[in-house]
Amino acid sequence: MNILVVDDEPMVLEETRETVQKVCPEAEIRAAENWKTALELAKEEPVDIAFLDIEMPGMNGLELSRHLKERNQQTNIIFVTAYSEYALEAFSLYASGYLMKPLQKEEVKTALCHLRDPVKYDEKRLKVQCFGNFEVFYGNRPVPFARAKAKEIFAYLVDLKGASANTGELCAVLWEDSMEIERNRHYLRNLIADLRKALHSCQADEVFINKRNQFAVDTERIDCDYYRFLKGDLSAVNHYRGEYMKQYSWAEFTLEQIRKRY
Amino acid sequence: MDKRPVSFRKELDHVKNYLAIEQRRFGGRVKVVYDIQEEYFLMPSLILQPVVENAVKHGITPKEQGGTIWIKSGKKGSSYYITVADDGVGYEEEKWKTDGKVHIGIENTRSRLKSMCGGELQITGGPGRGTCVVIRIPGEGQTRK
């Protein structure tokens, strides 16, 4: 979830940011001291919820909300102000909330429960392509895996369709018959950290499930052509050209099964 | 309200505290320059404060890049002068008559100044030119310190 906080008073801005972060610890919150920065940030990434001060120089919060809505109709606007006189106008702009300063945690919670355009928490941010080469996209950009083997781990877990693998299994997959078990296990830990970091940079931390020595992906949180193929989704079926994760030799086993099925 | 005059120095202390708070609120957007030549003279209370508040509220903070407030005091002839100037957005006198809001602050200050010590308040400026308020306090009737 992407939240934008705008207030021309730096201390109030920080306070608002902190309060909102406490209510939504998982959200990415960006703060702007003026309308220009706010619009730049909104251009970089779509805003799910915007907390806007109203009395600001240059362009006030009401006007700013119109611009944000123009850019992204789904943006929810919550006004945060010391004055009640703008309430009527705020509602004519289809605001999701009108909160008085100082911001209270409870009020933020209530406002978030009454958004006009509820944010889809389980939105599938990651697009996983298994047919042809294995690739993972966030938006239109590839997910930045620091090392190829971190990506391979992810590919292997996708291949498991939500079932888990343990350290031993992952080592066996990555290094096949290498005997340097201790060294490999150590390296694997670094790769797992890489994988987490890459997912974190796409706000997709929850895709990766790790319980004790068990690793898995949450299949509900990724949009994967192979999974859609298995469900009989036609566009995915058409996407299949007889190749599956072709950079990984272990994937041939699954490819065999797909061929039989096809 | 207490009718007794207070020392300018005390009023200035209050104003300094007030401005320190506003500077914290608005970061670098509110700048203040003091040029105090005279501080030991008497004046009616709560004259300086509303003028400075106006400069912050209606002059500087509505301006995106912020601005500077100059506060000066001095003596000329037998009168003391306090100047509060800002390079903010400036005011439009025409707008005051038509915007439907009550513009009581400056008028009230002016009439209290007049009735309490025979002083005057003058405003100059305009849209885009900032605002300058000069307060004149007659020197006659000032007890020492």
Side-chain angles (χ1 to χ4, degrees):
Chain A
M1 187 163 46
N2 226 317
I3 297 182
L4 177 69
V5 180
V6 189
D7 197 307
D8 64 324
E9 294 181 37
M11 282 194 296
V12 180
L13 181 66
E14 183 49 29
E15 206 182 300
T16 307
R17 204 190 62 76
E18 274 173 16
T19 309
V20 176
Q21 189 83 76
K22 270 182 208 148
V23 178
C24 333
E26 83 290 354
E28 165 141 352
I29 303 183
R30 290 168 308 158
E33 251 180 61
N34 55 56
W35 63 273
K36 278 187 201 124
T37 317
L39 289 180
E40 270 163 32
L41 292 176
K43 210 193 267 178
E44 279 169 18
E45 238 175 281
V47 176
D48 295 318
I49 307 167
F51 287 83
L52 306 180
D53 179 24
I54 294 187
E55 291 239 312
M56 291 189 289
M59 183 192 287
N60 71 24
L62 299 167
E63 235 174 295
L64 179 59
S65 80
R66 284 192 201 101
H67 285 268
L68 290 173
K69 279 271 190 192
E70 249 167 54
R71 177 159 288 285
N72 179 7
Q73 198 64 47
Q74 268 80 52
T75 300
N76 292 284
I77 307 286
I78 296 175
F79 290 108
V80 184
T81 173
Y83 309 89
S84 55
E85 65 206 67
Y86 301 104
L88 203 59
E89 195 176 351
F91 281 108
S92 76
L93 291 167
Y94 306 104
S96 290
Y98 193 91
L99 307 181
M100 301 297 285
K101 287 180 189 174
L103 205 52
Q104 304 294 322
K105 257 165 59 178
E106 286 309 312
E107 289 171 12
V108 173
K109 258 184 219 164
T110 313
L112 291 177
C113 291
H114 294 87
L115 296 178
R116 283 190 183 261
D117 235 305
V119 183
K120 295 159 199 85
Y121 284 93
D122 57 347
E123 193 184 3
K124 293 175 180 173
R125 290 179 180 274
L126 288 193
K127 268 200 162 54
V128 177
Q129 172 194 311
C130 300
F131 296 145
N133 266 324
F134 177 78
E135 297 295 347
V136 188
F137 297 98
Y138 170 60
N140 294 320
R141 283 167 296 178
V143 173
F145 292 101
R147 279 175 273 204
K149 283 218 182 299
K151 184 171 161 186
E152 187 172 351
I153 294 173
F154 191 64
Y156 185 73
L157 295 178
V158 168
D159 184 68
L160 287 181
K161 293 180 291 200
S164 28
N166 61 26
T167 309
E169 186 178 347
L170 289 177
C171 285
V173 167
L174 294 175
W175 294 288
E176 298 185 356
D177 44 13
S178 158
M179 298 305 286
E180 295 178 78
I181 293 169
E182 264 322 299
R183 200 196 64 130
N184 289 346
R185 280 176 182 252
H186 177 73
Y187 189 33
L188 182 71
R189 273 195 290 276
N190 291 336
L191 292 173
I192 297 280
D194 276 355
L195 173 57
R196 279 185 201 281
K197 214 189 263 172
L199 293 175
H200 180 72
S201 75
C202 307
Q203 300 166 267
D205 311 62
E206 67 283 354
V207 168
F208 183 67
I209 302 170
N210 173 204
K211 280 188 194 132
R212 295 208 174 167
N213 186 20
Q214 300 287 317
F215 306 96
V217 290
D218 187 341
T219 56
E220 290 300 310
R221 291 185 191 271
I222 54 178
D223 174 16
C224 169
D225 54 357
Y226 168 48
Y227 296 172
R228 284 191 284 113
F229 174 92
L230 294 176
K231 283 185 191 150
D233 179 336
L234 274 181
S235 70
V237 172
N238 288 335
H239 195 197
Y240 171 65
R241 294 270 188 277
E243 289 175 331
Y244 175 83
M245 297 193 187
K246 70 177 180 190
Q247 68 264 58
Y248 308 125
S249 55
W250 47 258
E252 277 163 30
F253 183 71
T254 307
L255 180 61
E256 264 325 294
Q257 293 183 317
I258 295 174
R259 280 202 181 119
K260 274 183 214 155
R261 201 190 158 109
Y262 194 52
Chain B
M1 195 184 299
D2 199 339
K3 294 258 168 58
R4 278 177 305 180
V6 294
S7 79
F8 167 72
R9 198 199 139 87
K10 266 218 163 122
E11 289 297 85
L12 184 64
D13 280 344
H14 292 313
V15 161
K16 280 182 175 167
N17 287 335
Y18 161 71
L19 284 172
I21 294 171
E22 294 291 39
Q23 286 184 298
R24 289 283 298 204
R25 275 180 76 190
F26 292 103
R29 285 177 50 228
V30 176
K31 295 182 199 69
V32 189
V33 177
Y34 296 97
D35 176 12
I36 307 300
Q37 306 288 340
E38 291 284 341
E39 44 185 342
Y40 297 108
F41 59 91
L42 295 172
M43 64 184 293
S45 63
L46 284 175
I47 296 287
L48 183 58
Q49 181 80 18
V51 171
V52 175
E53 279 182 23
N54 272 352
V56 173
K57 246 188 232 161
H58 305 298
I60 300 296
T61 56
K63 202 167 148 183
E64 263 177 81
Q65 66 272 37
T68 306
I69 298 172
W70 289 268
I71 298 179
K72 296 181 201 174
S73 73
K75 194 176 183 189
K76 213 169 164 190
S78 62
S79 292
Y80 294 92
Y81 288 88
I82 307 167
T83 309
V84 178
D86 69 72
D87 58 359
V89 294
Y91 69 98
E92 264 177 276
E93 219 166 344
E94 283 309 303
K95 241 189 179 169
W96 288 358
K97 292 171 190 156
T98 56
D99 66 1
K101 290 185 192 158
V102 189
H103 295 280
I104 201 167
I106 290 297
E107 260 335 294
N108 178 40
T109 309
R110 187 177 267 151
S111 66
R112 280 181 42 242
L113 191 61
K114 177 114 187 113
S115 67
M116 290 170 79
C117 71
E120 289 165 336
L121 184 152
Q122 253 184 7
I123 308 186
T124 49
R129 289 190 288 132
T131 305
C132 180
V133 176
V134 180
I135 299 165
R136 186 182 73 84
I137 312 280
E140 297 91 32
Q142 294 267 351
T143 46
R144 263 187 349 112
K145 197 172 175 205

